[in-house]
Amino acid sequence: MNAKANKNQVTSIEPAYYQAITEAIRKEAVQILKDETVVGVVGYLPGRRKGTASPALVTTVEEAEKLIFSPACVNNLSVYLTKAKKGVLKQGKVGIVAKGCDMRALAGLMTESQLQREDLFIIGVVCPGVYGFGVERTGTLTEANIARKCRECTVHMPEGSDVAAGTHTELADLTPEEAEEMARIEAMPQAERWAFWKEHFSRCIRCMACRQVCPFCYCEQCLCDKNRPQAVESSPRPAGNMAWHLVRAMHLAGRCGGCAECERVCPMDIPLNLLNRRMAQELKELYDFEAGLTPVEKGPLNEYKENDDQSFIK
Amino acid sequence: MHAEHIKHDFEPKIVAFVCTWCTYAGADLAGTSRMQYPSNVRVLKFPCTGRIDPVFILRAFQKGADGVLVSGCHPGDCHYMAGNFHARRRFAAFRALLSFVGVDLNRLQFSWVSAAEGGKWVDVVTELTERVRTMGPMPEFKELEHEEQWSTFAGASVDKSTVLNSPELKEAYDSIG
Ligand code: SF4
Ligand code: SF4
Ligand code: SF4
Ligand code: SF4
């Protein structure tokens, strides 16, 4: 791996590249823990099985020296700040390792006043990509095992982070699978689109993993858990599933950062990110909004302009 | 002035979600002015179009509506200043989502009807009712309500139509309801 500052297109990304990021993260994490800039760092530790990584909150220098970054670091850690480890923010500033797509979630959460920039020390990763689901984890990232979302990534550079680890390197000539799939669905006749989604949604077992993993699904009580009155049937039946998926897509519209975590954790392989992307595309077309790396005043569905399009209204 | 009552083969169910300040008053005006409009429409009153959650629309379709109308104050006339502006964006997004999953948007109408526009209310409701009438019943969501998903292996080559519809299961299921 060379250390050229401008972007560098390659056909495979070797373990050495990730090793260099790992070193940089460790150095930074150790430093900010030592000088007490932060009370802890949310990052990745090696998983118990080879080729895996697991999210962790490290609070000591010894632990920080074990932090890693590899293509197995798929998780979007920002979820640890709004949900699982929410309490940690109260104790002081927190460091967090963030890839570009994770930083979009952090920015969105700042927009929604769930996080404050000054409470975070963001260790950005100049991320070339992570593993897709069910692929061979060889240590080297190639076109064959890269995640679908990474094929169309526009945020390899984590701009706006406090420090950035890595040099800009990305895989060359990736086909935009998701965009192609979206175009394919759009081109279907309406009845076929319905059949396509009906089949997908009918498989949903309502495990709610997609909600639990989403940094933006931080509601104390989810609409879909309410039963008085019940808005969405809670058992995994076709009717409730359809409603759940439409509600989920609507609730994330204009907020979703596109980390595709919901799709990754879905045990039933439901292509949730296609819905997210379709909504993002619509909000871009209508209101010129795109989830970015920096917070904005208000999300697109929380603001309005007097001259917004109303051609569909009589 | 009684319009002749025409008998149709299909009477669509239309659910109208309206805001109390403008459209409800407009519909009221149509009534007190003795204007005729299809009795297919069931009016549900809300404080504001901003209070009308997309999930209400889904629910209406699930429970048997063939068409849905959402109507409120004209932009700038919202009793709460900006409720209808927010609703406008939300429903624009929701339409895109429905279309993406394959719902015919002709069954869903949005309109601004002020308290003085009894005539417009009649037009909007009549047009939607007649449009939906020619489209026929909306089966998609209703069918889902009556479907069960008996577990099958994902991707297994089981013929779902037999798995889902064995006479025994069907009988058992029907006897529940
Ligand atoms: S989408 Fe971009 S930033 Fe996110 S994991 Fe993939 S390559 Fe990295
Ligand atoms: S993770 Fe998948 S199966 Fe579970 S609730 Fe979400 S969509 Fe359904
Ligand atoms: S699905 Fe909606 S209500 Fe439920 S947690 Fe997510 S954003 Fe909140
Ligand atoms: S909806 Fe999915 S892709 Fe979007 S932020 Fe949530 S987990 Fe990430």
Side-chain angles (χ1 to χ4, degrees):
Chain A
M1 257 346 91
N2 63 25
K4 262 193 281 176
N6 51 358
K7 89 179 182 192
N8 181 12
Q9 297 218 323
V10 292
T11 52
S12 72
I13 297 181
E14 303 302 326
Y17 180 82
Y18 291 93
Q19 194 51 43
I21 297 178
T22 297
E23 297 303 334
I25 291 174
R26 283 181 188 163
K27 189 165 143 274
E28 205 56 47
V30 166
Q31 182 59 39
I32 55 179
L33 278 169
K34 251 194 200 140
D35 63 22
E36 297 184 352
T37 312
V38 297
V39 291
V41 176
V42 187
Y44 305 92
L45 289 176
R48 261 174 294 179
R49 275 178 300 136
K50 203 170 158 283
T52 63
S54 63
L57 171 68
V58 301
T59 51
T60 63
V61 168
E62 294 73 55
E63 285 172 313
E65 278 164 353
K66 299 198 190 87
L67 288 172
I68 59 159
F69 190 78
S70 74
C73 296
V74 289
N75 318 63
N76 178 350
L77 300 178
S78 61
V79 73
Y80 286 77
L81 300 180
T82 54
K83 292 170 156 178
K85 297 271 192 282
K86 205 171 173 180
V88 69
L89 273 175
K90 299 204 180 81
Q91 296 164 29
K93 195 165 171 157
V94 186
I96 183 163
V97 177
K99 310 183 282 290
C101 50
D102 308 345
M103 271 198 60
R104 277 196 302 231
L106 291 173
L109 290 167
M110 287 174 213
T111 297
E112 297 182 10
S113 305
Q114 299 300 312
L115 296 176
Q116 309 293 324
R117 183 64 182 89
E118 55 272 22
D119 291 342
L120 299 179
F121 187 97
I122 303 176
I123 305 176
V125 175
V126 184
C127 171
V130 294
Y131 291 139
F133 343 117
V135 296
E136 210 185 329
R137 298 190 164 198
T138 52
T140 305
L141 193 76
T142 64
E143 190 179 353
N145 61 11
I146 192 169
R148 218 155 73 140
K149 65 171 177 181
C150 303
R151 292 174 164 269
E152 293 165 66
C153 176
T154 54
V155 286
H156 293 289
M157 287 300 291
E159 276 152 34
S161 59
D162 290 288
V163 290
T167 49
H168 199 166
T169 302
E170 52 185 86
L171 292 180
D173 306 326
L174 296 170
T175 43
E177 283 178 6
E178 270 184 349
E180 284 171 6
E181 180 71 353
M182 268 168 55
R184 191 177 72 82
I185 298 170
E186 294 271 16
M188 288 177 184
Q190 182 207 321
E192 226 174 278
R193 285 205 295 275
W194 177 263
F196 174 89
W197 287 111
K198 183 173 161 181
E199 195 283 317
H200 274 302
F201 296 160
S202 72
R203 283 183 285 115
C204 173
I205 54 173
R206 300 296 279 287
C207 62
M208 295 302 184
C210 49
R211 175 187 72 189
Q212 295 312 106
V213 82
C214 176
F216 292 95
C217 274
Y218 53 70
C219 309
E220 299 267 324
Q221 174 156 36
C222 176
L223 176 80
C224 301
D225 288 338
K226 273 183 81 76
N227 54 12
R228 261 207 251 167
Q230 186 175 56
V232 176
E233 185 193 16
S234 54
S235 41
R237 295 183 57 231
N241 286 359
M242 176 63 72
W244 156 238
H245 284 281
L246 297 182
V247 165
R248 196 200 64 83
M250 262 320 276
H251 286 194
L252 276 309
R255 309 168 64 216
C256 167
C259 61
E261 282 287 90
C262 45
E263 180 172 310
R264 178 181 68 84
V265 297
C266 177
M268 304 309 286
D269 292 337
I270 300 171
L272 296 171
N273 208 36
L274 295 179
L275 292 165
N276 301 336
R277 294 234 357 217
R278 180 64 190 84
M279 295 315 281
Q281 180 194 340
E282 190 68 18
L283 292 169
K284 166 87 179 133
E285 279 165 18
L286 286 173
Y287 311 119
D288 199 26
F289 171 85
E290 244 174 314
L293 294 172
T294 42
V296 291
E297 182 74 27
K298 277 179 175 169
L301 294 185
N302 289 326
E303 63 167 5
Y304 64 89
K305 289 214 178 72
E306 300 212 343
N307 61 353
D308 280 337
D309 171 60
Q310 56 171 358
S311 51
F312 66 97
I313 305 177
K314 259 211 177 64
Chain B
M1 194 192 86
H2 281 284
E4 207 180 313
H5 191 78
I6 311 160
K7 209 153 168 35
H8 295 282
D9 293 340
F10 168 56
E11 288 298 343
K13 290 200 179 83
I14 308 287
V15 175
F17 297 102
V18 305
C19 88
T20 185
W21 301 102
C22 294
T23 304
Y24 190 81
D28 214 22
L29 178 66
T32 49
S33 318
R34 304 196 164 241
M35 295 179 190
Q36 298 286 327
Y37 65 88
S39 56
N40 304 58
V41 57
R42 283 89 168 145
V43 177
L44 297 170
K45 185 167 79 163
F46 287 79
C48 178
T49 38
R51 174 62 184 95
I52 300 166
D53 192 302
V55 80
F56 300 163
I57 299 175
L58 295 178
R59 193 126 177 113
F61 282 134
Q62 281 177 352
K63 296 296 173 196
D66 302 300
V68 170
L69 171 69
V70 176
S71 184
C73 307
H74 285 267
D77 291 348
C78 178
H79 188 76
Y80 309 100
M81 311 309 286
N84 54 359
F85 284 126
H86 287 288
R88 184 166 66 184
R89 283 203 168 192
R90 190 184 310 142
F91 289 123
F94 188 51
R95 284 177 89 245
L97 177 61
L98 285 182
S99 167
F100 190 57
V101 298
V103 176
D104 191 336
L105 293 179
N106 285 316
R107 296 188 180 274
L108 183 56
Q109 181 69 52
F110 298 90
S111 65
W112 309 131
V113 173
S114 80
E117 292 177 322
K120 184 173 179 187
W121 167 257
V122 172
D123 292 346
V124 167
V125 168
T126 310
E127 195 194 315
L128 177 62
T129 307
E130 293 315 317
R131 187 168 73 217
V132 173
R133 194 194 304 283
T134 56
M135 292 170 75
M138 182 185 199
E140 287 90 352
F141 283 94
K142 269 170 272 181
E143 273 170 20
L144 290 179
E145 277 288 294
H146 298 293
E147 274 175 34
E148 279 295 335
Q149 190 64 41
W150 309 106
S151 52
T152 49
F153 298 105
S157 57
V158 205
D159 177 2
K160 278 199 190 147
S161 59
T162 59
V163 175
L164 298 179
N165 296 325
S166 81
E168 294 83 358
L169 285 179
K170 236 182 146 39
E171 198 191 316
Y173 180 60
D174 289 342
S175 71
I176 305 171

